[in-house]
Amino acid sequence: ESDREIGEGSSMSPREQRNLREKERRTRMKDLFIILSSHVSPTHRLPVPQLISQATSYMIQLKEKVNYLREKKMSLLGEMGNYSERSSSLLPKLSIYSRDSTIEMNLIMDLNMKRVMLHELVSVFEEEGAQVMNANLQNLNDRMIIYTIVGQAIICRIGIDPSRIEDRVRDLIF
C-alpha cells in the first residue's frame, strides 16, 4: 500500500496517478509554450503549430546570423594578423558596408597613427543622417585600434550616402 501513496498520504490508484502525471505534464507544456510565445511573438498568442513553425524559422535566422558574424570576425582577425606581420604602412584600413537603410563601418588603425576619437566618428554618422545603433572601440594587442559603428537611416526614404561618410572619415584619419 505504501507504493500507492502519493502526496499528502492520500492513496491513489495507478490510473489516478497516471492521470495526475499527465495533467502535470500538460500544464508544464502549456507553461513552456507560453514562454516560447513570449520570445517568438510577444504581441499575440499563436496556435501551437504556428508557434513551433515560427520558433524554428527564428532559430534558423539566429543561427545564420551567428555564423555570418563568426565568419566576419575571423576575416577581420585574419586581416589584422596579416597587418601585424607586415609593416603598419598598410593601415589604416577602412571598410564601409551599406545595405537597405543600414550602414556599417569598420576601421582598423595603428596606435602610432593620428588619434581619432570614437565620438568624432559617431558625429560623422549623425551629421549624415544616420542614427547610430552600435558604436564600439577595441584595442588589440596594444598595437591596433578597431572602430566599429553600425547606423540606420533616420529617414528611410532618403537613406544614407556611404561615399559621403567614407570621405568624411578619411578626412578625419589622414
Side-chain angles (χ1 to χ4, degrees):
E1 185 180 51
S2 64
D3 61 324
R4 294 177 60 176
E5 293 182 5
I6 286 185
E8 301 166 359
S10 64
S11 65
M12 301 176 89
S13 71
R15 181 178 180 171
E16 291 171 322
Q17 290 175 6
R18 279 194 310 272
N19 288 345
L20 181 62
R21 281 195 303 268
E22 180 61 18
K23 183 179 178 184
E24 289 171 351
R25 186 192 69 79
R26 287 175 184 240
T27 304
R28 178 74 178 135
M29 289 301 291
K30 183 179 175 185
D31 292 342
L32 290 173
F33 281 127
I34 289 171
I35 292 169
L36 181 62
S37 179
S38 72
H39 290 290
V40 173
S41 177
T43 55
H44 59 283
R45 281 188 63 188
L46 299 171
V48 171
Q50 221 179 342
L51 176 65
I52 291 174
S53 174
Q54 277 201 354
T56 304
S57 62
Y58 178 68
M59 291 183 65
I60 290 170
Q61 287 175 352
L62 287 178
K63 184 178 180 181
E64 288 172 354
K65 186 174 183 179
V66 166
N67 289 338
Y68 166 76
L69 291 173
R70 194 173 283 142
E71 287 174 11
K72 186 173 179 180
K73 176 184 176 184
M74 296 308 289
S75 72
L76 286 173
L77 289 175
E79 288 175 10
M80 287 182 284
N82 292 340
Y83 286 131
S84 64
E85 292 168 8
R86 301 179 205 157
S87 68
S88 62
S89 63
L90 298 174
L91 293 176
K93 170 134 171 64
L94 174 64
S95 56
I96 295 182
Y97 308 99
S98 177
R99 190 171 143 222
D100 298 330
S101 61
T102 305
I103 187 164
E104 178 179 337
M105 180 204 73
N106 292 302
L107 173 61
I108 303 170
M109 293 186 65
D110 191 298
L111 274 175
N112 298 326
M113 300 180 119
K114 177 183 172 185
R115 296 283 179 171
V116 177
M117 303 301 282
L118 185 61
H119 71 86
E120 294 172 315
L121 297 170
V122 168
S123 294
V124 169
F125 270 68
E126 290 173 343
E127 290 166 8
E128 292 300 324
Q131 177 183 1
V132 175
M133 307 303 286
N134 187 6
N136 191 3
L137 167 72
Q138 185 177 3
N139 194 346
L140 187 69
N141 300 336
D142 293 328
R143 290 192 296 192
M144 287 182 259
I145 300 176
I146 304 170
Y147 300 90
T148 304
I149 299 177
V150 178
Q152 188 172 16
I154 294 173
I155 303 170
C156 293
R157 289 186 319 240
I158 297 174
I160 308 167
D161 184 3
S163 62
R164 282 187 47 89
I165 290 179
E166 184 174 356
D167 292 342
R168 291 194 55 197
V169 169
R170 286 193 186 283
D171 289 344
L172 274 176
I173 60 180
F174 292 112

